[in-house]
Structure formats: C-alpha cells, structure tokens
Amino acid sequence: SRITLKTYYCQKGVFLCVYVCVCLCSMQQKNCVCALLYIVVLCSADGQLTFVSELSSKPAQKLSKYGWYGNVRLQRFHIPEETAIARWLFSITKGHNFHCGQHNVTIHIRWGGPPVINPVRRVFPNATLWRPSLSLILPVTSHSSITFNLSNPAPGDWYIAAHLPEDDGRIEQKGFPSCSYFFQPQLSIRRAVDTPILQQGTFLQQTAAPDRPARLKLYVPEFASSLSVSVADCSSGEGVDSGNCSLVLRLGSASLQHGPVTVNCSGIGCSAALSNPPWHTWLRVVVESPKDNRTVTFSIVSNYTVGCKPKSVGLAADDDISKLRGNSSYANSTSAGNSSEITEGIAFSNQSMSLQTPLLASACVWSIPVLYEEVDVLSLRFTPVNGPNVSVTNTHPTLLTYPLHTQATGGTLNLQLTLNTTNIILSNSSSVVACLSPWAPVLELNHSQPCHTALFGGYGVHVNASVPKVVIRLPFPQSTSWYLTLQLTCNSSDCGNTSLVSVVPEVFISACVEDCGTYGECRLLRSYSYLYAACVCKAGWSGWGCTDDSTAQSYGHQLTATLLLTFSNLFFLPAIVVAIRRCYITEASVYLFTMFFSTFYHACDQPGVAVMCIMDYDTLQYCDFLGSVCAIWVTILCMARIKDTFKYTLFMLGALLIAMSMQLDRKGLWNLLGPVLCAILFMVTAWVYRGVRRRHCYPPSWKRWAFYLIPGALCALIGVCLYILAETEDNYYYTHSLWHILVATCVVFLLPPKEKNREALGWSRGWSWSWSWRPRVCGYTLCQSGKDELYTVT
C-alpha cells in the first residue's frame, strides 16, 4: 500500500482540501488500482482568526521625584508573538487625603530594553549614543488613569518607567507624612492563535475587510539579504471597480521607535521589498482595506533571497575546542594594549588569513566565531576565537555576531574599534567602515551606504590612519543579536597593495559608563528578577555617567563643607567638661562617644574628594545614630534626678533597646521619638512627684527656669525644627552643622547642677577631687595620717 498526501491550508473561510492518492495492490496482481479521494473539512464556522485575551498586572509602587535613575519605578511586560492589540492602563493614586497640589507624572515606554531618559536635560558622556523613548505626561490630583493602545506591537519585553518631576532637593525625614503617589500599570492584549503562515513562493488566497484585516506571518532565515511580499489578483467583486482595489500592505511590527514598512496598493496588485530584513525571526504581514463596507479578495506571496552565506564549517567541533584551549588568554584579556599579545595576535591572524584566502571565491562574507564570556553581574565580554585581531578586506564584509540576552540589557554595550597599523600602513584615502546593528547586519558597506537595515537603525563608525581608534557606548541595549560588519573601503575602485588590514574590535557589556567616573558611584538596581545599573552622582555632578559639571562643587566648597560638619561636633567639648565637673561621668562618656563618631562619620559621608574614613562607612553611620539618640536619652533621664540604681538601669536598658531599633530601621522616626517620649515621661513623673510631695513647683528656683531650662528647651526646639523642616541638599552643610551646635549647647543648659550629697551616690563613694582615696568599712571612713602613716578609726 502506498499513500500520497497533499494538504492545502485553510485561509479565511476556504475549505481544507486533502488530496489522497491510494494505490491498492493485491497479493496476486502486480498492477495497482489508484483511487482519488477528496476530503473536505470546514476550517471554522466563519473563517475568521481566533483571538484570545491575556491580562497582566504589576503591584502598585510609590513614585519618587527624579534625581537619578534609581528614583524611577521600572516595570517589565512580555508581549507574545501574534499579538494584534496591546492596551496599557496606567493608574496613579494619591496616598494621603491632605492637599498636595497637582503633580505631573512622566511615563516612559520602550521595547527591548529599559528606557534611557534625560528629564533634567543633562549632558551625556562622550561617545554615548541613545534614542529617546515615548513619554506620556499625566497630571495627577487625587486619582488619575490613562490608557495607551498599540496595534501590532513588536513581540518581546516592553519596559515601563515612571517618576515624578525633578527633585527639589528637600530632605524629608522618614516617618513624617508627605505627599505620596502610587503607580500601577496593567496590560491587556489580544493575540491570534491561528495566524496563517506565508510560505516561500506559495500563493495564499486572503480576504480583507475594513474591520477584519488579513494577518499573516512569515519566517525570515539567517543570511537573508532581501525579502519581497507581493499582492496580486485583487478583486472586490463590486461592479466595474472590482479590479481597482485600495489596500495597505504593512511589513513588520510597531516598536514606537520604528514602525512597519507601509505600502499603499492600487489596481490589482503591489509589492513591498525589504533590504537586509531581520534574521532568524517571524515577520508580521498585515493587509488592510481602508474603504468602508468593502471586502477585498487577493492573493499574496513572499520570496526571500539568501545572497550571502559563509562557507560551512561542518559538524566537527574539535577545531573550535582546540582554539579555545590554545588561546584562552585572549578570552581573559581586557585590552589590546600589551604589545606581546598584539604580536601573537597578528601572527595568528596572518595564519588565519592564509587559511581564509582560498575561500574568497566561494564565500561572500567572513563569519568570525565569537566567545561569549560572563565575567560578573552585568559584565560580559565578547572575544573573537581566532584572537583579538580580525582580518578585513575590501572584497567582502567581515561579520561578527554578539547575542544579547534579557539579562544583559540592564548594562551598557561598549564597542571599541582599533586599527592595527603595526605591519600595514593604511593610506589616507582608505578606511575601515564598521556598522553595529541589531536584528540584522548590513552586508554592503561603503561611504555612501547608510548603517541602516530594513526595519531598524544601526550605528556606523570608521577608522583610518588619522583616527585609528573609535569608541561608542549604548546604554540599555535591546535584547537581540547584534551584528558588527567590517569592510575596507577606498576612494578608488582598487585599494592597491593594501587590500587586507587588521582591526581589534572590543565588544563588552559593563554595568555603567566608565564606572561613573570620579564623582559617581555605579549601583546595581533590581525590579523583581530584572537587574539593571545606574550612576548616582555626588558633589553637584550630574548626567548619565556623572560627567556634567554644570552644577559641580569646587574643591574649596567640598573642603568647607567637610570642615563645617566635622568641627561643629567640637561644641560637645563644653558639654563634656560641664558633665565631668558636675560628676556626671557616665553622661560625659556618652557625649564623648557621640562627638567622636559624628565627627568621623561626616568626614566619611562627604560626596566629593575631601573624604576621610577611619573605618567602614556603615559602622560609622550606625555608631553616629546610636550615640546621638543615647545622648538625648541619658540627658533627659539625668534631668529627672532619680536614684542611681534606677537611673543606670534605665541607661543600660535604653541603650540596648535603642541599639536593637537602630538595627531594624536606622532612619526610622520612632528610633528618636520613642526614647525621647519615654525619657520625658520619666522626667515629668519624677518632677510631679517631687512637686506634690514638697507642695512647690519643681525645680523650685525661677532662675533655673529662666536661665537654664527655657534656653535649653528653645535650643533643642530650634535644632529639631532645622533638622526636620529646613534641611535641603544645598544647605545641608550649614543647617546640619547648626544642628550639631544647638544640640551640644542645649546639653550644657539642661544638665542639672551637681547634687549636694554626692556621698550618697554609689559611683562617687571614696572619690575625692584632692586625688586621695578614702575607703569605707562598715559605714566608717578610714582616715590616713600623712605624718605618722597610721590608720585610726573615727
């Protein structure tokens, strides 16, 4: 038995026809009887595509004012293949009921990678290239929402970034009520599940109506140099005008930065041609009928041309493994600056040239294998397996492929191209042209050919004898395969003796641009499972790589700020002296601890170059915060004048609880308010008890109130108001220094005078300021006679 099966695909209401040729042969007969069977199956009831809905939502996040990229709330959505319509709903809700005024929330949308934004109009670093993303501005009062619709969106990852206007520099203390806005994005898509496939050279019968465009998809293989899609046999079936159809043919998807190729068809047909189409991907084809109430029937066909392919390397991988083993030093090399490595690379490159020269007649492109190496988080390096030197000729291009996965899009793509002029001197009329492009390479390069593929733009550079080195940086590159095409070009048709040169392409992913320079810090950020990096600048520097010095602080300003914040802590010295003279040794030790760590914490906390850190920054900050709260705690308890046993127990217990709360939330509001309120409660309780018992106001002296307590309380109140309400990024050096002075001054005023009966205190028993020690035995004091050196009992 032998069966031949042919299948014709179902297209928009056309029947599925299966032609079966069955040859039946009996055991006795040698001849076969063939029967023709037609099996007719209805594709669907109405012949339409089936669409399904998919919904996705992200949790609400609190928005921040923009100061650097870390203030941006980044969300990632995935749009699958064959999506017809994508609709985002952006909701913004105010967190408090009191009036905060109206703020504008800016929303950025980008496909393939996080949006590169510049809301404060700062200067980007040199050789840094970027394209602005789509931005939406949403005014917000209490609750606002906006929808954004996109037809035929590009499949893959889409990134949404939102932030409030530029930060005004005001320092808000954590825990106090403030204007807060919460941003929540939601995505709804309509996806086709039975999109017809447009095969190479096969006509498909399709129907397009104003409300039902024809949707198809075709696969573009690797090394395809051109693609054409043709529409023919157009007919609307409406009288004399049936052969004059108006159709709109669209190839590709909408990515906001690049739209599909659109061709307006008239008559009975038209065609669209793409040069350098995207490789190894599905391409969307949409045919629309713009006229109302008119259904158009047409035939559509696609053809692609593979005009350039490298010579096959076969299935054996032993040669590649041997190259990796023999040239592992190239994979670990970060630069071509070592002369010995360059010499070895040239020798190896010359050897590879001799091997590749016979291939010139059979191959039109040199495809160089590239080693993909993960160095660190958001740090990748691509190295040619044949060595750092790559051969470039004028007859055909040299191609290198760099695949970038989603995990690599949160960094910066760096390309450094260096012309190797060790053995060959390039004339002034010749240069090496390079094109770095996503999705597909440009396979024909010259001075007039733009670095642009069919649907996406590229980045073109060139090196020659006068400019032997160029660098480009691409923040947040798109997640796809990037292609670097190299070719030698000359002004004349013949390059003469110089027909083969060597260049060193260095392509790598770094977290930030040049590690954010001297006045910046590269920080790794996370949005759920997605990692990305950004620069936080200091000392007034700004920009994507902290290279914009328009508002930078001078060295004198930085030094003045450091001296103010550190030497203002010396105002604790009078408080320490007063505490010692009044026999409050424990309190004096706490003030000394606070002064020491506050001084060196602020010396280490400076944003510029005038910085000195004697230990880890986190340790200095912890000790500074702990000492400040403990100083307030012991001062108020000392004012309560309670018994020593109870007082020192509260000292120790409070210090332990404060240390625990600092570990939980170092900048929390209740870390300061809790101890202050508890200490004031103890003090007020003790004072009321004494006042009731003595039937007199406590403290009894009006001079104590007028010259000590009221001035000390005013100093503390002014300091707290400055600390909470008046501090900004610009005046921080002055207001915080004044805070140090006021807090230290209020301690001098608020410390109570020395107790008259200090012998009743446990720590002072036997202590005399005449530096003599008198021990007590059973309630008696042993006296020493300096003359007779005898002890007598009195």
mmCIF file of all heavy atoms in Angstrom, residues 299-328:
data_model
loop_
_atom_site.group_PDB
_atom_site.id
_atom_site.type_symbol
_atom_site.label_atom_id
_atom_site.label_comp_id
_atom_site.label_asym_id
_atom_site.label_seq_id
_atom_site.Cartn_x
_atom_site.Cartn_y
_atom_site.Cartn_z
ATOM 1 N N SER A 299 -4.571 37.601 -3.635
ATOM 2 C CA SER A 299 -3.552 36.570 -3.457
ATOM 3 C C SER A 299 -2.261 37.226 -3.002
ATOM 4 O O SER A 299 -1.929 38.334 -3.453
ATOM 5 C CB SER A 299 -3.315 35.792 -4.763
ATOM 6 O OG SER A 299 -4.489 35.130 -5.168
ATOM 7 N N ILE A 300 -1.550 36.554 -2.119
ATOM 8 C CA ILE A 300 -0.320 37.112 -1.570
ATOM 9 C C ILE A 300 0.752 36.034 -1.579
ATOM 10 O O ILE A 300 0.464 34.839 -1.375
ATOM 11 C CB ILE A 300 -0.561 37.654 -0.137
ATOM 12 C CG1 ILE A 300 0.682 38.396 0.372
ATOM 13 C CG2 ILE A 300 -0.987 36.563 0.815
ATOM 14 C CD1 ILE A 300 0.437 39.165 1.662
ATOM 15 N N VAL A 301 1.981 36.444 -1.846
ATOM 16 C CA VAL A 301 3.117 35.531 -1.936
ATOM 17 C C VAL A 301 4.354 36.253 -1.419
ATOM 18 O O VAL A 301 4.440 37.487 -1.473
ATOM 19 C CB VAL A 301 3.324 35.055 -3.391
ATOM 20 C CG1 VAL A 301 3.760 36.208 -4.286
ATOM 21 C CG2 VAL A 301 4.330 33.902 -3.454
ATOM 22 N N SER A 302 5.289 35.485 -0.879
ATOM 23 C CA SER A 302 6.544 36.043 -0.375
ATOM 24 C C SER A 302 7.722 35.312 -0.983
ATOM 25 O O SER A 302 7.638 34.112 -1.301
ATOM 26 C CB SER A 302 6.616 35.936 1.152
ATOM 27 O OG SER A 302 6.727 34.587 1.555
ATOM 28 N N ASN A 303 8.818 36.030 -1.141
ATOM 29 C CA ASN A 303 10.070 35.459 -1.629
ATOM 30 C C ASN A 303 11.224 36.147 -0.920
ATOM 31 O O ASN A 303 11.207 37.367 -0.715
ATOM 32 C CB ASN A 303 10.211 35.662 -3.142
ATOM 33 C CG ASN A 303 9.249 34.803 -3.933
ATOM 34 O OD1 ASN A 303 9.464 33.613 -4.116
ATOM 35 N ND2 ASN A 303 8.159 35.426 -4.415
ATOM 36 N N TYR A 304 12.191 35.363 -0.528
ATOM 37 C CA TYR A 304 13.385 35.934 0.070
ATOM 38 C C TYR A 304 14.607 35.405 -0.664
ATOM 39 O O TYR A 304 14.580 34.344 -1.301
ATOM 40 C CB TYR A 304 13.482 35.617 1.564
ATOM 41 C CG TYR A 304 13.540 34.149 1.911
ATOM 42 C CD1 TYR A 304 14.742 33.434 1.861
ATOM 43 C CD2 TYR A 304 12.396 33.475 2.317
ATOM 44 C CE1 TYR A 304 14.789 32.100 2.183
ATOM 45 C CE2 TYR A 304 12.439 32.139 2.655
ATOM 46 C CZ TYR A 304 13.641 31.454 2.579
ATOM 47 O OH TYR A 304 13.694 30.124 2.897
ATOM 48 N N THR A 305 15.671 36.169 -0.582
ATOM 49 C CA THR A 305 16.922 35.834 -1.261
ATOM 50 C C THR A 305 18.036 35.725 -0.241
ATOM 51 O O THR A 305 18.208 36.632 0.585
ATOM 52 C CB THR A 305 17.284 36.904 -2.294
ATOM 53 O OG1 THR A 305 16.214 37.022 -3.232
ATOM 54 C CG2 THR A 305 18.563 36.535 -3.035
ATOM 55 N N VAL A 306 18.732 34.624 -0.271
ATOM 56 C CA VAL A 306 19.917 34.435 0.563
ATOM 57 C C VAL A 306 21.112 34.718 -0.329
ATOM 58 O O VAL A 306 21.626 33.842 -1.010
ATOM 59 C CB VAL A 306 19.973 33.022 1.170
ATOM 60 C CG1 VAL A 306 21.221 32.861 2.017
ATOM 61 C CG2 VAL A 306 18.728 32.746 1.992
ATOM 62 N N GLY A 307 21.514 35.983 -0.356
ATOM 63 C CA GLY A 307 22.554 36.383 -1.290
ATOM 64 C C GLY A 307 23.954 36.218 -0.766
ATOM 65 O O GLY A 307 24.916 36.342 -1.522
ATOM 66 N N CYS A 308 24.109 35.970 0.503
ATOM 67 C CA CYS A 308 25.450 35.917 1.062
ATOM 68 C C CYS A 308 25.482 34.940 2.218
ATOM 69 O O CYS A 308 24.755 35.090 3.202
ATOM 70 C CB CYS A 308 25.856 37.310 1.548
ATOM 71 S SG CYS A 308 27.612 37.620 1.447
ATOM 72 N N LYS A 309 26.289 33.911 2.081
ATOM 73 C CA LYS A 309 26.434 32.919 3.136
ATOM 74 C C LYS A 309 27.909 32.607 3.329
ATOM 75 O O LYS A 309 28.653 32.498 2.348
ATOM 76 C CB LYS A 309 25.693 31.630 2.754
ATOM 77 C CG LYS A 309 24.310 31.495 3.350
ATOM 78 C CD LYS A 309 23.780 30.096 3.133
ATOM 79 C CE LYS A 309 22.424 29.920 3.767
ATOM 80 N NZ LYS A 309 21.922 28.541 3.595
ATOM 81 N N PRO A 310 28.349 32.434 4.563
ATOM 82 C CA PRO A 310 29.731 31.985 4.756
ATOM 83 C C PRO A 310 29.864 30.513 4.424
ATOM 84 O O PRO A 310 28.866 29.782 4.325
ATOM 85 C CB PRO A 310 29.968 32.256 6.250
ATOM 86 C CG PRO A 310 28.619 32.114 6.846
ATOM 87 C CD PRO A 310 27.651 32.637 5.831
ATOM 88 N N LYS A 311 31.063 30.094 4.240
ATOM 89 C CA LYS A 311 31.295 28.690 3.970
ATOM 90 C C LYS A 311 31.025 27.862 5.215
ATOM 91 O O LYS A 311 31.364 28.245 6.324
ATOM 92 C CB LYS A 311 32.737 28.470 3.503
ATOM 93 C CG LYS A 311 32.999 27.039 3.036
ATOM 94 C CD LYS A 311 34.382 26.896 2.460
ATOM 95 C CE LYS A 311 34.615 25.450 2.001
ATOM 96 N NZ LYS A 311 35.951 25.258 1.436
ATOM 97 N N SER A 312 30.373 26.726 5.032
ATOM 98 C CA SER A 312 30.013 25.884 6.156
ATOM 99 C C SER A 312 31.258 25.321 6.829
ATOM 100 O O SER A 312 32.216 24.923 6.160
ATOM 101 C CB SER A 312 29.101 24.746 5.693
ATOM 102 O OG SER A 312 28.823 23.871 6.759
ATOM 103 N N VAL A 313 31.210 25.262 8.170
ATOM 104 C CA VAL A 313 32.326 24.700 8.933
ATOM 105 C C VAL A 313 32.093 23.241 9.274
ATOM 106 O O VAL A 313 32.953 22.601 9.876
ATOM 107 C CB VAL A 313 32.550 25.504 10.232
ATOM 108 C CG1 VAL A 313 32.963 26.921 9.918
ATOM 109 C CG2 VAL A 313 31.288 25.497 11.091
ATOM 110 N N GLY A 314 30.935 22.695 8.892
ATOM 111 C CA GLY A 314 30.662 21.291 9.171
ATOM 112 C C GLY A 314 30.214 21.061 10.591
ATOM 113 O O GLY A 314 30.006 21.983 11.375
ATOM 114 N N LEU A 315 30.082 19.776 10.939
ATOM 115 C CA LEU A 315 29.601 19.401 12.261
ATOM 116 C C LEU A 315 30.720 19.177 13.264
ATOM 117 O O LEU A 315 30.475 19.117 14.465
ATOM 118 C CB LEU A 315 28.749 18.131 12.167
ATOM 119 C CG LEU A 315 27.422 18.271 11.407
ATOM 120 C CD1 LEU A 315 26.726 16.923 11.343
ATOM 121 C CD2 LEU A 315 26.524 19.290 12.088
ATOM 122 N N ALA A 316 31.935 19.001 12.814
ATOM 123 C CA ALA A 316 33.041 18.725 13.731
ATOM 124 C C ALA A 316 33.368 19.974 14.537
ATOM 125 O O ALA A 316 33.547 21.050 13.982
ATOM 126 C CB ALA A 316 34.270 18.262 12.952
ATOM 127 N N ALA A 317 33.429 19.819 15.848
ATOM 128 C CA ALA A 317 33.717 20.946 16.735
ATOM 129 C C ALA A 317 35.094 20.856 17.363
ATOM 130 O O ALA A 317 35.414 21.630 18.259
ATOM 131 C CB ALA A 317 32.659 21.031 17.841
ATOM 132 N N ASP A 318 35.922 19.913 16.890
ATOM 133 C CA ASP A 318 37.235 19.742 17.504
ATOM 134 C C ASP A 318 38.121 20.959 17.272
ATOM 135 O O ASP A 318 38.900 21.347 18.147
ATOM 136 C CB ASP A 318 37.912 18.487 16.940
ATOM 137 C CG ASP A 318 37.136 17.223 17.296
ATOM 138 O OD1 ASP A 318 36.343 17.292 18.263
ATOM 139 O OD2 ASP A 318 37.300 16.200 16.609
ATOM 140 N N ASP A 319 38.001 21.572 16.073
ATOM 141 C CA ASP A 319 38.845 22.728 15.788
ATOM 142 C C ASP A 319 38.512 23.900 16.711
ATOM 143 O O ASP A 319 39.408 24.594 17.206
ATOM 144 C CB ASP A 319 38.676 23.149 14.322
ATOM 145 C CG ASP A 319 39.157 22.068 13.365
ATOM 146 O OD1 ASP A 319 39.977 21.237 13.803
ATOM 147 O OD2 ASP A 319 38.710 22.060 12.205
ATOM 148 N N ASP A 320 37.225 24.119 16.951
ATOM 149 C CA ASP A 320 36.841 25.219 17.826
ATOM 150 C C ASP A 320 37.301 24.979 19.254
ATOM 151 O O ASP A 320 37.772 25.902 19.929
ATOM 152 C CB ASP A 320 35.319 25.419 17.801
ATOM 153 C CG ASP A 320 34.835 25.827 16.417
ATOM 154 O OD1 ASP A 320 35.629 26.448 15.699
ATOM 155 O OD2 ASP A 320 33.673 25.532 16.079
ATOM 156 N N ILE A 321 37.183 23.740 19.732
ATOM 157 C CA ILE A 321 37.635 23.443 21.092
ATOM 158 C C ILE A 321 39.135 23.633 21.213
ATOM 159 O O ILE A 321 39.642 24.156 22.212
ATOM 160 C CB ILE A 321 37.220 22.008 21.477
ATOM 161 C CG1 ILE A 321 35.695 21.882 21.510
ATOM 162 C CG2 ILE A 321 37.810 21.627 22.818
ATOM 163 C CD1 ILE A 321 35.030 22.779 22.525
ATOM 164 N N SER A 322 39.883 23.245 20.207
ATOM 165 C CA SER A 322 41.337 23.419 20.251
ATOM 166 C C SER A 322 41.703 24.893 20.251
ATOM 167 O O SER A 322 42.655 25.311 20.908
ATOM 168 C CB SER A 322 41.985 22.699 19.067
ATOM 169 O OG SER A 322 41.547 23.262 17.844
ATOM 170 N N LYS A 323 40.931 25.694 19.513
ATOM 171 C CA LYS A 323 41.194 27.135 19.536
ATOM 172 C C LYS A 323 40.943 27.720 20.920
ATOM 173 O O LYS A 323 41.692 28.561 21.402
ATOM 174 C CB LYS A 323 40.314 27.842 18.501
ATOM 175 C CG LYS A 323 40.700 27.548 17.056
ATOM 176 C CD LYS A 323 39.746 28.233 16.103
ATOM 177 C CE LYS A 323 40.088 27.896 14.655
ATOM 178 N NZ LYS A 323 39.129 28.544 13.703
ATOM 179 N N LEU A 324 39.872 27.266 21.570
ATOM 180 C CA LEU A 324 39.587 27.763 22.909
ATOM 181 C C LEU A 324 40.669 27.354 23.894
ATOM 182 O O LEU A 324 41.052 28.115 24.776
ATOM 183 C CB LEU A 324 38.223 27.254 23.379
ATOM 184 C CG LEU A 324 36.993 27.823 22.662
ATOM 185 C CD1 LEU A 324 35.739 27.138 23.180
ATOM 186 C CD2 LEU A 324 36.894 29.314 22.880
ATOM 187 N N ARG A 325 41.152 26.128 23.749
ATOM 188 C CA ARG A 325 42.203 25.668 24.662
ATOM 189 C C ARG A 325 43.523 26.369 24.394
ATOM 190 O O ARG A 325 44.239 26.744 25.313
ATOM 191 C CB ARG A 325 42.389 24.159 24.513
ATOM 192 C CG ARG A 325 41.217 23.344 25.053
ATOM 193 C CD ARG A 325 41.444 21.866 24.804
ATOM 194 N NE ARG A 325 40.366 21.054 25.370
ATOM 195 C CZ ARG A 325 40.276 19.752 25.218
ATOM 196 N NH1 ARG A 325 41.214 19.097 24.528
ATOM 197 N NH2 ARG A 325 39.261 19.096 25.753
ATOM 198 N N GLY A 326 43.832 26.568 23.132
ATOM 199 C CA GLY A 326 45.125 27.157 22.798
ATOM 200 C C GLY A 326 45.169 28.650 22.930
ATOM 201 O O GLY A 326 46.248 29.225 22.992
ATOM 202 N N ASN A 327 44.022 29.330 22.968
ATOM 203 C CA ASN A 327 44.005 30.784 23.011
ATOM 204 C C ASN A 327 43.109 31.285 24.128
ATOM 205 O O ASN A 327 42.351 32.236 23.969
ATOM 206 C CB ASN A 327 43.508 31.348 21.670
ATOM 207 C CG ASN A 327 44.397 30.942 20.510
ATOM 208 O OD1 ASN A 327 45.411 31.559 20.249
ATOM 209 N ND2 ASN A 327 44.002 29.876 19.811
ATOM 210 N N SER A 328 43.150 30.604 25.258
ATOM 211 C CA SER A 328 42.317 31.033 26.379
ATOM 212 C C SER A 328 42.755 32.376 26.928
ATOM 213 O O SER A 328 41.991 33.069 27.575
ATOM 214 C CB SER A 328 42.360 29.998 27.499
ATOM 215 O OG SER A 328 43.701 29.809 27.945
#
